Amino acid sequence: MSETTFDGKFGDYGGQYVPEALMPAIEELNDAYQRYVLENEDGFMDEFRRRLRDFGGRPTPTQHAERLSERYGCEVYLKREDLLHGGAHKLNNALGQVLLAKYMGKERIVAETGAGQHGTATAMAAAHLDMPCEVYMGERDINRQRPNVFRMRLNGSEVNPVTVGRGTLKEAISETMRDWATNVENTHYVIGSVVGPHPFPAMVRDFQSVISEEARAQMREKTDGLPDAVLACAGGGSNTMGAFAEFVDDEGVGLYAVEAGGSSLDVDEEAGVAPNSASLSTGSEGVLHGARTKLLQDGDGQIMESHSVSSGLDYAGVGPELAHLVDEGRVTAVNVDDDAALTAFHRLSQLEGVIPALETAHAFAYLEEHADELGETVLVNVSGRGDKDLESVIEETSKRDIDIAPDMDAFAGGF
Amino acid sequence: MGNPALDAAFEGGAAFVPYLAAGDPDFDSSVEYVEALERGGADVIELGLPFSEPIAEGPTIQNAVVRSLEGGMTPDRFFEFVEALDVDVPLVCMTYYNLIYRYGAEEGPRPFVEKAAEVGLSGFVVPDLPAEEADPLREACDEFGLDLVFIVAPTTTGDRLDRIMDRVSGYVYVQARLGVTGAQDDVSGQTASSLDRLSEYDVPKAVGFGIKTGDHAERIVAGGADGIIVGSALVDIVAEGHENGDDVGAVASRLEEKARELKQGAERGFAQRAPEAERT
Ligand SMILES: Cc1ncc(COP(=O)(O)O)c(C=O)c1O
């Protein structure tokens, strides 16, 4: 387990930079986190694990990927979080937080979502646990992720479009914080990644670390050892931290956080736009959404609009613990561009019969480019499935020349 | 600790503290607008330095921030803005911590505070900087003789109140209700209990969040506030003028008129207070 700090600092990163109105709620949450999550008061963690198993479908398998292994000349294993209920790792955290809100006596849930995957997971958990839920989502992301918007509504959640700025995750987080500041007395904000003020980064990591806890045991069982490398895509970094947490002390295991390189790593300072979401690789230290961390920002400290073909990675910040582990040299931050991710999406679909989320595809694109440097056994965290991305994939594939993709013209003509 | 200019502004009656986003909708008009507030009776002016993620603001001020940023506002332009103003009342910079933290070559808040002192600002309000994270900024403010105003929310009680009151100077910003900034149609009932909790602390208490009319101002000051802070109701006037393409002078006189209404409301409220409740 990686270090748990009680002051909410990971080196210089982390902290609690929020409006005063929220501070008492954050203290209350921190207290609940210590008691229920860390000390299992009232059997909270037992109930959480039972519900993850029975409602969520845990444990998810760790699967040997035969054709990828053949292709790369190493043993590739897939941690199949795409098989979790809802189709992504996001349920681990959402279920944990909604249950915690119940234990705390809160009456209402708010959440933000980028890809819609966290919103979907939260809507499911809220329906499962009978809590009213409202989800804020950028207008642009609503258009990119319509199936998830409908899933949230089916589960009885309200989806509130956010129109300010570029209408992506960054704006949705700000808007959810505003709702929380207004309704803080009865509302819990289920933040979607290892970001935000303490205790969120530590707490979300703890809920997600079930991924590496299972994967570590499953790898031992299947290979008698540990992987040489673990790969996970990094947006805010929750599946990354979840996949890494139990391996952090295993020094022989290389940990790779794969960011969205977008269309380029260069930045248009004048326009305030980074055509990527690679805050670990190219960002600088600053304060956003409650924490000090690595950010995409201009020379004045204004936050940049980020970009990625996958909306779940499209965020200008990253979790403070992940930023710290990268600075310490324990985690290697790398990135791949939109084209490589899209190609990897098609490759995995064809070679393994697994249609990954576009977010996840970034990790496979890195494997394609660097398999020979990663060692003999590589574990890739399949953070989610790609059903939600099909509309984006059709659109983005049609713009490009990806030789392994199905014939898009035939597809456009209908079948 | 602190700055004599702000202390003076809260002496002899209830202070009127208006807010505008600097550079909204453009540098030159905004200079006129801020100067109009002084003519209307401002005792202190809070000048917003726009940040791209203003999480404590409602739609009115969010939109002002967008206009100002699109008009080219930056921290350096902001300091030029302060220098361009012809006003005598103390000016407080309201911004988010990342802009303060990132300014200058050296890490941390010191270069920003040094520059602020140089252009004649009197203090800061930083809505995303709670007392727990404020020591580096507090130290820099002490070094350069500036005030650091903290916000007290309706939810703030007990230890947190003490922690804030240990670090505050200039005035304390009493948030009248939960939520984000924005003009309201009535005065929140939470204000009285907030003022009550603060009565034992010897620092001026300025109430803000939602104040819109002279009548609101009157009631809040009559209820014990040492000052009123008004943002969205003034920003609304700027926004309307901008949308209608009104003449800058016309918008400025509307602002001056609104400022006068609010100041006079505060004065009426002060006159109603029992003599023993007055600050000496
Ligand atoms: C499938 C999937 N993977 C990864 C992410 C990125 O988030 P994080 O880095 O917090 O895991 C998302 C976000 O929505 C996602 O849906």
Side-chain angles (χ1 to χ4, degrees):
Chain A
M1 188 94 180
S2 58
E3 76 196 88
T4 299
T5 52
F6 292 97
D7 65 352
K9 296 274 158 68
F10 305 97
D12 287 338
Y13 298 116
Q16 301 175 311
Y17 296 84
V18 294
E20 173 56 31
L22 291 177
M23 283 302 289
I26 281 173
E27 284 193 335
E28 185 192 345
L29 180 64
N30 196 21
D31 178 59
Y33 165 58
Q34 306 281 336
R35 284 167 34 213
Y36 295 123
V37 181
L38 298 181
E39 291 160 26
N40 193 28
E41 192 174 307
D42 298 341
F44 171 85
M45 284 304 283
D46 303 320
E47 181 172 352
F48 172 52
R49 287 182 182 257
R50 175 176 65 73
R51 287 182 188 274
L52 269 184
R53 194 178 63 231
D54 297 349
F55 176 69
R58 297 214 76 92
T60 60
T62 292
Q63 177 212 338
H64 182 241
E66 284 155 28
R67 294 186 64 196
L68 290 185
S69 298
E70 207 173 293
R71 180 178 180 90
Y72 300 125
C74 61
E75 298 310 316
V76 178
Y77 288 85
L78 311 180
K79 178 60 176 164
R80 296 289 307 277
E81 290 301 290
D82 60 314
L83 293 178
L84 191 65
H85 180 45
H89 69 293
K90 297 280 179 188
L91 184 73
N92 301 322
N93 168 46
L95 190 62
Q97 285 199 51
V98 176
L99 189 64
L100 187 66
K102 262 220 126 87
Y103 274 59
M104 291 170 72
K106 299 287 172 183
E107 292 157 14
R108 173 176 177 267
I109 294 295
V110 291
E112 92 296 323
T113 195
Q117 225 29 53
H118 171 62
T120 298
T122 306
M124 283 171 171
H128 175 62
L129 293 165
D130 190 23
M131 284 275 245
C133 173
E134 280 180 55
V135 181
Y136 291 87
M137 188 168 183
E139 204 161 49
R140 180 183 155 86
D141 286 338
I142 287 182
N143 293 327
R144 289 198 279 185
Q145 302 287 345
R146 286 187 299 172
N148 272 338
V149 175
F150 195 59
R151 288 208 290 174
M152 288 180 253
R153 294 212 165 109
L154 284 173
N155 284 135
S157 287
E158 257 177 67
V159 180
N160 303 324
V162 177
T163 53
V164 290
R166 211 163 133 270
T168 57
L169 183 56
K170 167 167 86 64
E171 289 80 17
I173 292 181
S174 293
E175 204 54 38
T176 316
M177 288 197 155
R178 293 185 183 104
D179 182 312
W180 195 29
T182 309
N183 302 296
V184 61
E185 287 168 315
N186 69 353
T187 297
H188 175 68
Y189 173 12
V190 179
I191 208 161
S193 191
V194 286
V195 301
H198 177 66
F200 282 108
M203 182 174 72
V204 176
R205 173 205 64 208
D206 290 352
F207 289 142
Q208 290 293 0
S209 62
V210 64
I211 300 172
S212 46
E213 191 184 298
E214 286 176 6
R216 198 169 179 282
Q218 289 163 329
M219 287 303 285
R220 274 197 183 285
E221 200 176 294
K222 285 181 194 274
T223 69
D224 268 343
L226 295 177
D228 295 309
V230 180
L231 269 57
C233 65
S238 70
N239 90 88
T240 326
M241 283 310 306
F244 294 172
E246 298 294 323
F247 291 110
V248 167
D249 291 338
D250 300 319
E251 309 230 322
V253 180
L255 305 174
Y256 295 83
V258 187
E259 296 194 286
S263 57
S264 161
L265 289 185
D266 294 335
V267 155
D268 184 346
E269 276 258 353
E270 192 65 16
V273 175
N276 61 70
S277 307
S279 34
L280 288 169
S281 312
T282 70
S284 54
E285 193 190 324
V287 173
L288 176 66
H289 292 145
R292 179 179 299 190
T293 187
K294 287 233 173 158
L295 305 172
L296 298 176
Q297 57 185 328
D298 69 13
D300 289 330
Q302 303 290 3
I303 308 305
M304 299 226 190
E305 298 297 345
S306 57
H307 163 82
S308 168
V309 69
S310 70
S311 36
L313 302 182
D314 199 347
Y315 181 53
V318 67
E321 184 174 16
L322 195 53
H324 174 62
L325 290 172
V326 168
D327 279 6
E328 298 264 281
R330 181 62 191 94
V331 170
T332 307
V334 296
N335 60 80
V336 299
D337 65 18
D338 285 345
D339 292 350
L342 205 59
T343 308
F345 174 95
H346 289 290
R347 187 182 306 111
L348 190 70
S349 302
Q350 285 172 29
L351 291 185
E352 295 290 346
V354 172
I355 300 176
L358 273 173
E359 290 81 2
T360 306
H362 285 73
F364 286 97
Y366 188 75
L367 178 65
E368 171 79 8
E369 290 168 14
H370 297 272
D372 51 345
E373 301 153 26
L374 297 172
E376 285 177 9
T377 316
V378 179
L379 175 70
V380 186
N381 189 33
V382 184
S383 59
R385 67 176 191 224
D387 307 39
K388 69 184 175 66
D389 293 318
L390 296 185
E391 283 189 51
S392 299
V393 167
I394 293 167
E395 188 187 325
E396 296 292 332
T397 303
S398 307
K399 289 186 204 159
R400 293 171 169 84
D401 189 16
I402 299 177
D403 53 9
I404 59 167
D407 180 351
M408 300 311 284
D409 290 339
F411 195 55
F415 288 88
Chain B
M1 166 157 115
N3 181 309
L6 279 177
D7 290 342
F10 280 87
E11 272 161 19
F16 167 50
V17 185
Y19 163 98
L20 282 180
D24 170 25
D26 61 72
F27 191 100
D28 294 336
S29 322
S30 186
V31 167
E32 303 268 323
Y33 297 160
V34 173
E35 290 175 356
L37 295 177
E38 188 190 38
R39 289 196 298 278
D43 298 293
V44 176
I45 298 174
E46 286 185 2
L47 282 181
L49 162 55
F51 178 51
S52 55
E53 319 302 316
I55 57 171
E57 318 300 344
T60 302
I61 294 178
Q62 277 184 62
N63 288 332
V65 164
V66 170
R67 285 191 297 269
S68 168
L69 287 173
E70 281 175 356
M73 185 49 71
T74 65
D76 280 323
R77 285 290 278 164
F78 178 81
F79 292 128
E80 285 165 30
F81 184 89
V82 173
E83 285 179 315
L85 289 172
D86 181 15
V87 295
D88 289 328
V89 297
L91 300 170
V92 169
C93 167
M94 159 121 175
T95 194
Y96 287 75
Y97 193 54
N98 200 45
L99 297 188
I100 295 177
Y101 181 75
R102 293 288 303 179
Y103 189 80
E106 180 193 330
E107 189 171 287
R110 193 176 177 279
F112 190 94
V113 179
E114 182 173 19
K115 181 74 188 179
E118 197 183 299
V119 299
L121 284 160
S122 295
F124 300 100
V125 190
V126 189
D128 66 342
L129 189 70
E132 281 76 0
E133 307 284 358
D135 287 346
L137 181 58
R138 178 73 262 177
E139 269 167 42
C141 284
D142 288 347
E143 181 183 346
F144 294 103
L146 267 69
D147 283 315
L148 183 54
V149 171
F150 282 92
I151 297 173
V152 167
T155 43
T156 312
T157 51
D159 288 354
R160 290 207 45 74
L161 204 52
D162 288 337
R163 210 173 294 155
I164 292 169
M165 290 303 172
D166 269 354
R167 290 169 176 79
V168 76
S169 69
Y171 54 97
V172 55
Y173 186 142
V174 183
Q175 186 179 327
R177 59 181 166 78
L178 283 176
V180 292
T181 54
Q184 297 286 307
D185 288 328
D186 205 358
V187 178
S188 166
Q190 280 166 330
T191 312
S193 64
S194 296
L195 285 171
D196 232 32
R197 274 188 286 118
L198 290 169
S199 59
E200 63 185 275
Y201 299 97
D202 182 27
V203 60
K205 289 124 200 129
V207 173
F209 267 53
I211 299 173
K212 190 169 150 185
T213 65
D215 173 54
H216 293 168
E218 177 179 343
R219 279 189 281 153
I220 284 174
V221 173
D226 302 306
I228 50 154
I229 303 170
V230 183
S232 295
L234 298 164
V235 173
D236 276 337
I237 294 173
V238 174
E240 243 179 69
H242 178 63
E243 272 154 36
N244 299 337
D246 293 345
D247 178 75
V248 173
V251 177
S253 42
R254 263 176 255 153
L255 281 167
E256 183 180 334
E257 207 175 296
K258 186 74 186 172
R260 192 163 294 120
E261 173 196 331
L262 289 158
K263 173 69 183 175
Q264 286 172 354
E267 282 172 341
R268 283 197 307 276
F270 193 72
Q272 288 163 32
R273 275 156 65 165
E276 62 272 18
E278 278 174 35
R279 281 177 58 81
T280 43

